[in-house]
Amino acid sequence: MDKTISNEKISNNYFDGLKVSNTHKILFFIIMLAYFFEQMDNWNFGFIAPALMKSWGITMTDVGRIQFAYFVGMTLGGLTGGIISDLIGRRKTFLGAIVLFSLASVVNGLTSDLTVFTISRALTGFGVFCLMVTSQAYIAEMAPAESRGKWQGLVAAVGFCAVPFIGAMCRAVVPMHDDAWRYIFYLGGLGLIGFLIGLKYLKESPRWLVAQKRLPEAEKVVEEITGIKVDLTEAAAKISPRNKVMEVLIGMFSRKYIKRTLVVLSFIALTTPATFVVTVWTPTLLSQRGLSLEDSLMASTILMIGVPVGCFLASLISDKGGRKIPLAILAVLISLCAVIFGQVNGFIPIVCCGFVLIACVMALGFVSFSYIAEQYPTKMRNTATGFHNASGRMATSVIQLAVPVVFAQHSFAGVYNMVALLVLLPVVPLLIWGMRTGGKSLEEIS
């Protein structure tokens, strides 16, 4: 029987096996829009830092401290964002995070106090990563199993067009005068547009509703999105009540999940700080390499076109090789490109090599986002996802303090050799013990 014309309820596992409808695409568009404004706030400081150093007379060590605070905020946002979204739902957490990082960005533009700036930047990090963690689980739960990785990558590819956009804006605006960098932070307030649209159109995850024993609401959401009446009774029977936070953390290290937890934890704790060195520090480090402010901003802007390209690449390869094969290949490519990038000189070689490096970094990040969200059942998913991502951000916050030291002792090449080593280390454990998750239903994996 054709599912699209039947008036009878069909027994189905949420969206698996169903076509992605226009309503589905509207939801993904809302995530794309939120990603766009989120990534404006996430990436703008890397472009602004050289101008801020000049305007306020601060050093790279001060920049490292601001970045440290930002990633501590990210860590807390990842931990509490996963917990909160498991408690009150994906939708409310998503919308609240947008409000937080948008308003915090405006405060960054208004203040002239370094302490207030640092605190506001930490709040931005909290909101940015709270939204990121929630979005990962949301897309994983709303997309069909057959195209889950594809939609993770496509949503990110469109949303991350914000990165070259904010780079171009910084190239045009920041050199205007000493305080022109403030205008870039004011742009972050536009994230409230995404909040207003999401407030009207964003729907709650039916998997979360089922976990809350709200089966009729979950079936209604699936019907509203797909146009098909579904019976989720069988799917609901597979859902255990939501675990308390401590139960989730203990469960992650239980006999059933400990191997996958350790593989994912080691991969995220090593690759995340390495990739953020590339994406966050490259614009600042290029300005310290002898390039003028204008040239470093131009090079950085061109490099950042690799961000949406990398996300699009993730959408093409994510569902192949059970996820872990693309992850391993990308990690090796990043390691090679990082070593080369640390050695090349001249505007064109820097731009060409850096473009490939950043594209691979972003592809790795978004394939790994799908991989993390697939490791655990619905009752654990968001808290566990938040734990892993927060662990990666905590490791990243420590690296922020180390980058100025490594740069001072080993110059530009030393920083990117460090990146190469960190990314390469977890590849073997991933290949030997990592699970294959691509193309399988979440319930089958868990």
Side-chain angles (χ1 to χ4, degrees):
M1 183 181 294
D2 186 345
K3 293 180 181 180
T4 61
I5 62 175
S6 174
N7 291 320
E8 299 294 327
K9 275 190 174 185
I10 62 168
S11 180
N12 203 67
N13 191 57
Y14 303 98
F15 302 102
D16 293 350
L18 304 181
K19 292 182 179 179
V20 174
S21 67
N22 289 333
T23 305
H24 241 136
K25 293 174 183 177
I26 291 173
L27 296 181
F28 294 144
F29 172 77
I30 293 171
I31 306 298
M32 290 175 192
L33 189 64
Y35 267 168
F36 189 92
F37 292 118
E38 173 206 44
Q39 293 308 310
M40 282 175 54
D41 291 342
N42 186 32
W43 291 72
N44 56 16
F45 185 73
F47 294 101
I48 290 168
L52 188 67
M53 291 168 68
K54 180 180 178 181
S55 177
W56 284 4
I58 61 176
T59 66
M60 280 190 65
T61 300
D62 295 317
V63 171
R65 288 171 182 155
I66 294 170
Q67 296 283 39
F68 172 78
Y70 180 75
F71 283 100
V72 168
M74 272 192 151
T75 301
L76 296 175
L79 285 171
T80 59
I83 294 168
I84 293 169
S85 66
D86 277 345
L87 289 172
I88 68 174
R90 303 348 183 188
R91 180 179 181 274
K92 290 179 181 178
T93 307
F94 182 89
L95 295 174
I98 296 176
V99 172
L100 179 58
F101 69 69
S102 299
L103 294 180
S105 180
V106 174
V107 173
N108 273 130
L110 291 172
T111 188
S112 294
D113 183 271
L114 184 59
T115 301
V116 174
F117 185 95
T118 303
I119 293 171
S120 298
R121 193 65 190 151
L123 291 174
T124 301
F126 183 98
V128 161
F129 206 57
C130 182
L131 182 137
M132 182 70 77
V133 168
T134 305
S135 298
Q136 291 170 28
Y138 185 79
I139 297 173
E141 293 175 355
M142 299 296 281
E146 299 80 8
S147 58
R148 194 165 55 237
K150 169 187 172 182
W151 284 105
Q152 286 275 18
L154 283 177
V155 166
V158 175
F160 275 76
C161 287
V163 182
F165 170 79
I166 200 65
M169 289 297 295
C170 288
R171 174 64 181 84
V173 172
V174 171
M176 291 171 57
H177 56 81
D178 285 350
D179 278 345
W181 54 266
R182 295 182 185 275
Y183 304 145
I184 303 300
F185 283 117
Y186 298 151
L187 281 175
L190 295 176
L192 294 174
I193 295 173
F195 166 77
L196 293 174
I197 296 174
L199 189 64
K200 183 173 182 179
Y201 295 107
L202 198 68
K203 300 182 184 298
E204 185 54 84
S205 161
R207 280 183 166 93
W208 182 82
L209 290 170
V210 167
Q212 306 303 307
K213 301 187 184 303
R214 294 158 61 178
L215 183 62
E217 293 177 62
E219 292 178 343
K220 183 179 179 182
V221 169
V222 176
E223 182 181 354
E224 288 175 346
I225 293 174
T226 64
I228 298 171
K229 296 180 182 293
V230 297
D231 181 354
L232 297 178
T233 304
E234 184 177 341
K238 303 175 184 177
I239 298 291
S240 301
R242 180 183 58 83
N243 286 2
K244 295 179 179 179
V245 175
M246 190 54 64
E247 291 175 346
V248 172
L249 296 178
I250 293 173
M252 289 171 62
F253 293 92
S254 66
R255 178 176 295 181
K256 181 175 182 179
Y257 294 108
I258 188 169
K259 184 171 72 173
R260 67 181 77 175
T261 294
L262 292 177
V263 169
V264 172
L265 186 60
S266 64
F267 189 83
I268 296 303
L270 290 169
T271 62
T272 302
T275 56
F276 269 102
V277 170
V278 175
T279 56
V280 173
W281 277 97
T282 295
T284 303
L285 294 177
L286 286 177
S287 71
Q288 300 295 310
R289 207 181 183 196
L291 295 179
S292 67
L293 177 61
E294 290 79 5
D295 284 347
S296 65
L297 284 172
M298 178 60 74
S300 299
T301 300
I302 297 172
L303 292 183
M304 296 312 166
I305 297 173
V307 172
V309 171
C311 295
F312 180 71
L313 174 63
S315 73
L316 298 178
I317 65 174
S318 181
D319 292 315
K320 304 180 185 302
R323 298 263 195 268
K324 73 174 187 176
I325 302 302
L327 285 172
I329 293 172
L330 286 167
V332 173
L333 287 175
I334 291 168
S335 185
L336 292 173
C337 288
V339 172
I340 297 171
F341 186 64
Q343 301 292 332
V344 296
N345 291 297
F347 187 88
I348 293 177
I350 286 173
V351 166
C352 292
C353 184
F355 178 89
V356 176
L357 174 61
I358 286 177
C360 290
V361 160
M362 294 307 299
L364 179 83
F366 276 87
V367 177
S368 67
F369 286 160
S370 298
Y371 194 63
I372 296 169
E374 293 166 338
Q375 300 293 318
Y376 304 96
T378 300
K379 64 180 181 178
M380 298 171 63
R381 182 169 300 115
N382 242 28
T383 299
T385 299
F387 172 83
H388 282 297
N389 284 293
S391 299
R393 264 50 179 189
M394 180 56 74
T396 302
S397 67
V398 175
I399 289 292
Q400 303 310 301
L401 299 176
V403 169
V405 177
V406 174
F407 182 80
Q409 294 182 357
H410 302 286
S411 72
F412 193 84
V415 173
Y416 290 90
N417 287 339
M418 176 182 70
V419 167
L421 180 62
L422 287 172
V423 172
L424 200 57
L425 284 173
V427 170
V428 172
L430 175 70
L431 290 174
I432 295 175
W433 295 295
M435 291 181 61
R436 287 176 171 263
T437 60
K440 299 179 180 179
S441 74
L442 297 179
E443 287 68 31
E444 179 186 354
I445 296 167
S446 63

